[in-house]
Amino acid sequence: MELNENARVDTSQVDDRRGSGGGGGMGIPIPIGGGRGGIVGIVIAVLVALVGGGFGLNAATNGGGSEQGDNTSLEQKCSAQDALKQLDCRNALYVNSIQAYWRTAMPEAFGEQYRPSKTVFFSQNVSTACGAADSGVGPFYCPADDLVYIDLSFYKLLADQLGAEGEFAQPYVLAHEYGHHVQDLLGTEAQMRRQQQRDPQSANALSVKLELQADCYAGAWAKNATGTADDKGQKIFTSITEQDISQAIDTAEKIGDDAIQQRSGRPVNPDEFTHGSSDQRKQWFTKGFTTGDPKSCDTFGSGA
Ligand SMILES: [Zn+2]
């Protein structure tokens, strides 16, 4: 994967709340695990949420306001010559690419306008319209304020603890979260919540479909990512290789519910799946990538 050094990072698509002191005691800081069990526990919490939907979606709304961050230093950093050496600037650029894709793809595929959504960079804890959250839940999307939230230190955990290495894991994670935003805009998410209420026994199975669709949307973005450009028309990616795509698939596999259950030493129980098995996640990301068409992501359809 190579980014175009001349691409301009549009930092207005992110909201940098890392300097705001972490929301003044909101949320629970990540405990420093006492012994092995503790550490494993933290990792599981993170993984479950990366894949994400659980947190927030079921929580009471208005648990916290949407505070504004301060982008001043990020803006400065990301307009410098070597901006793309910085993790946060690169991630802002991934957000730019993902949203540039949906601006075209959503009207094309679904006949609806895309509405942009910001990504909030936070550290340790953050207050959202879905309630307070800490880094332990991993990256997530909050439908109540239409924002994607990420503590960028998550990537280190993904690489160190899961062996999901390679830079392309990062845009994959973000593209998955923006997939949830698209589901929110299309009404898929609300429809699925209503279905869950009517049929609580299928709640987990429905959640899996929502998550797999977000993986498939991430695949569709990946296929079209080299066609995305900044607001001056400069290409954002100069190349995405097969190796990058295998890294994304590898990440999708490593955060499958069965893989997580296995890693935690629990027996694999498909009834408890909320995000899909490794195989399913791999399959749906690949489907989105192969077709490059979000319409093919019909995880709720009869063909699924
Ligand atoms: Zn998710």
Side-chain angles (χ1 to χ4, degrees):
M1 181 197 85
E2 246 174 281
L3 289 165
N4 177 4
E5 276 174 30
N6 300 317
R8 200 187 74 85
V9 181
D10 178 3
T11 53
S12 75
Q13 295 186 23
V14 305
D15 183 10
D16 188 4
R17 295 192 205 163
R18 289 170 298 178
S20 62
M26 298 287 286
I28 310 148
I30 305 174
I32 297 174
R36 201 170 149 267
I39 290 164
V40 170
I42 294 163
V43 174
I44 291 160
V46 168
L47 296 174
V48 168
L50 149 65
V51 203
F55 164 81
L57 301 176
N58 302 319
T61 49
N62 298 320
S66 293
E67 299 158 5
Q68 274 298 119
D70 181 0
N71 279 12
T72 319
S73 75
L74 185 71
E75 223 174 279
Q76 239 164 29
K77 194 169 156 183
C78 299
S79 50
Q81 267 301 313
D82 59 351
L84 297 183
K85 290 204 169 79
Q86 312 290 335
L87 177 78
D88 42 9
C89 299
R90 284 200 308 276
N91 271 265
L93 195 58
Y94 300 149
V95 168
N96 297 162
S97 166
I98 295 161
Q99 300 212 93
Y101 166 66
W102 283 111
R103 225 172 357 255
T104 321
M106 205 165 129
E108 249 174 40
F110 304 113
E112 300 214 30
Q113 282 308 109
Y114 178 72
R115 231 179 35 236
S117 151
K118 289 187 186 188
T119 289
V120 176
F121 290 164
F122 72 98
S123 78
Q124 299 197 331
N125 50 60
V126 68
S127 123
T128 83
C130 296
D134 66 73
S135 304
V137 301
F140 62 93
Y141 174 73
C142 169
D145 56 25
D146 296 336
L147 296 170
V148 171
Y149 290 86
I150 187 167
D151 180 334
L152 296 171
S153 67
F154 172 76
Y155 295 134
K156 196 171 163 2
L157 207 134
L158 199 61
D160 292 354
Q161 313 246 14
L162 274 177
E165 280 180 67
E167 178 88 8
F168 207 73
Q170 300 182 14
Y172 158 68
V173 166
L174 290 168
H176 173 96
E177 298 308 335
Y178 274 93
H180 286 313
H181 176 56
V182 169
Q183 291 171 325
D184 190 14
L185 294 176
L186 291 173
T188 318
E189 192 264 334
Q191 209 175 1
M192 174 271 193
R193 298 292 156 200
R194 282 194 298 273
Q195 245 175 303
Q196 278 184 323
Q197 274 163 2
R198 278 198 303 269
D199 183 8
Q201 292 215 309
S202 307
N204 282 353
L206 289 163
S207 160
V208 167
K209 288 174 195 275
L210 196 76
E211 292 301 329
L212 293 176
Q213 189 174 63
D215 280 338
C216 182
Y217 285 168
W221 164 79
K223 176 76 172 187
N224 294 286
T226 48
T228 60
D230 68 9
D231 50 13
K232 296 249 178 355
Q234 293 269 10
K235 268 184 181 294
I236 291 176
F237 289 92
T238 47
S239 75
I240 292 174
T241 63
E242 266 175 49
Q243 199 195 348
D244 296 319
I245 300 307
S246 351
Q247 275 169 5
I249 291 171
D250 183 52
T251 307
E253 275 192 292
K254 287 195 160 118
I255 56 181
D257 285 324
D258 48 350
I260 291 167
Q261 286 178 352
Q262 248 159 21
R263 211 172 283 111
S264 70
R266 283 181 288 161
V268 173
N269 179 1
D271 290 341
E272 286 176 6
F273 287 4
T274 52
H275 302 95
S277 70
S278 297
D279 260 4
Q280 287 174 314
R281 300 204 65 166
K282 177 180 160 178
Q283 252 171 42
W284 281 101
F285 176 88
T286 307
K287 183 161 191 191
F289 180 77
T290 314
T291 62
D293 179 3
K295 281 198 300 295
S296 73
C297 302
D298 57 342
T299 57
F300 290 91
S302 51

